[in-house]
C-alpha cells in the first residue's frame, strides 16, 4: 500500500503560485495576503510581483475570486492557486448566498482543473472575528500558504507515481 503525503523539504525554485485576492474588506484581505507572503517567503518562494514565482490578481470581492482562479488555472502556468477574501455577515441573507457560492466556485476550480486551489476566504459573523483571523490572534494567510505548499508537494508525488495522470 502506498502512502502519499506532502512535505516542505523540496526544491521550490520551479514552483509557480497565483494568489487571487478580493478587494472588498481589504483591511482584512491585505493582512491575509501579508501572512501568506510571509509563509511563502520563509519557504524560499520569491514573492516579488516582478519575479517569476508568484502572480497576484486583485478582484472586486470574494464572489469574483472563483472565476479568476479558474482562468488562471486554465493557463497551466501555476502549480497552485491561493484564493483570499473576507465575507462578513451583515443583516441580510446576502452573506449566505455569497459565501456558499464562493465556496462552491473555488472547490469547482480544483475539481475541474486538477490544480490545487486553497480556499482562503474568511467567512465570519463580525469584522472583529475577521481581524482576529487575519493577524490579531493569528494570521490564517500563513496557514493558507502552508496548505498550498503541502498540496503542491503532494500532487507532485501522486503524479510521479502515475505518469499517465493529467496533474
Amino acid at each position: 500500500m502506498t502512502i502519499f503525503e506532502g512535505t516542505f523539504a523540496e526544491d521550490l525554485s520551479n514552483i509557480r503560485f497565483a494568489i487571487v485576492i478580493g478587494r472588498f474588506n481589504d483591511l482584512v484581505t491585505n493582512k491575509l495576503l501579508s501572512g501568506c507572503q510571509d509563509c511563502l517567503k520563509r519557504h524560499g518562494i520569491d514573492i516579488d510581483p516582478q519575479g517569476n514565482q508568484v502572480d497576484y490578481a486583485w478582484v472586486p470581492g470574494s464572489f469574483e475570486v472563483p472565476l479568476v482562479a479558474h482562468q488562471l488555472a486554465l493557463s497551466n502556468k501555476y502549480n497552485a492557486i491561493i484564493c483570499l477574501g473576507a465575507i462578513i455577515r451583515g443583516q441580510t441573507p446576502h452573506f449566505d448566498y455569497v459565501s456558499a457560492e464562493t465556496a462552491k466556485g473555488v472547490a469547482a476550480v480544483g475539481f475541474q482543473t486538477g490544480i490545487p486551489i486553497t480556499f482562503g476566504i474568511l467567512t465570519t459573523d463580525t469584522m472583529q472575528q475577521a481581524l482576529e483571523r487575519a493577524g490579531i490572534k493569528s494570521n490564517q494567510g500563513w496557514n493558507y500558504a502552508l496548505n498550498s505548499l503541502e498540496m503542491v508537494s503532494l500532487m507532485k508525488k501522486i503524479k510521479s507515481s502515475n505518469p499517465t495522470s493529467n496533474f
Side-chain angles (χ1 to χ4, degrees):
M1 167 120 342
T2 303
I3 297 175
F4 297 103
E5 190 170 11
T7 64
F8 304 100
E10 296 183 19
D11 176 21
L12 300 173
S13 59
N14 293 323
I15 302 300
R16 291 201 44 143
F17 292 90
I19 304 176
V20 183
I21 314 106
R23 197 177 295 111
F24 197 78
N25 291 318
D26 65 344
L27 177 65
V28 176
T29 60
N30 280 322
K31 291 178 184 307
L32 289 174
L33 177 59
S34 178
C36 183
Q37 289 173 314
D38 185 38
C39 179
L40 292 175
K41 184 176 181 181
R42 290 175 189 258
H43 284 86
I45 302 295
D46 177 9
I47 61 169
D48 185 344
Q50 304 305 316
N52 63 358
Q53 285 195 277
V54 181
D55 290 337
Y56 301 87
W58 287 88
V59 298
S62 293
F63 190 79
E64 292 79 19
V65 167
L67 174 63
V68 172
H70 189 257
Q71 290 302 305
L72 292 168
L74 290 176
S75 75
N76 289 317
K77 290 173 44 178
Y78 305 102
N79 299 93
I81 298 172
I82 303 168
C83 300
L84 302 176
I87 307 169
I88 301 169
R89 186 178 302 279
Q91 296 181 351
T92 67
H94 183 74
F95 169 89
D96 299 311
Y97 299 119
V98 172
S99 58
E101 294 306 313
T102 300
K104 288 178 198 172
V106 170
V109 173
F111 293 141
Q112 293 168 3
T113 66
I115 303 293
I117 308 295
T118 299
F119 183 77
I121 312 286
L122 295 178
T123 54
T124 63
D125 288 326
T126 66
M127 176 63 83
Q128 180 65 28
Q129 289 174 343
L131 290 171
E132 287 172 0
R133 288 161 180 78
I136 291 176
K137 289 187 176 180
S138 66
N139 191 321
Q140 291 300 313
W142 173 281
N143 294 333
Y144 301 144
L146 200 59
N147 292 347
S148 191
L149 287 163
E150 183 175 353
M151 285 301 295
V152 167
S153 171
L154 176 59
M155 296 301 275
K156 285 172 75 175
K157 288 179 181 179
I158 293 171
K159 181 180 179 181
S160 69
S161 75
N162 183 9
T164 61
S165 71
N166 290 328
F167 291 120

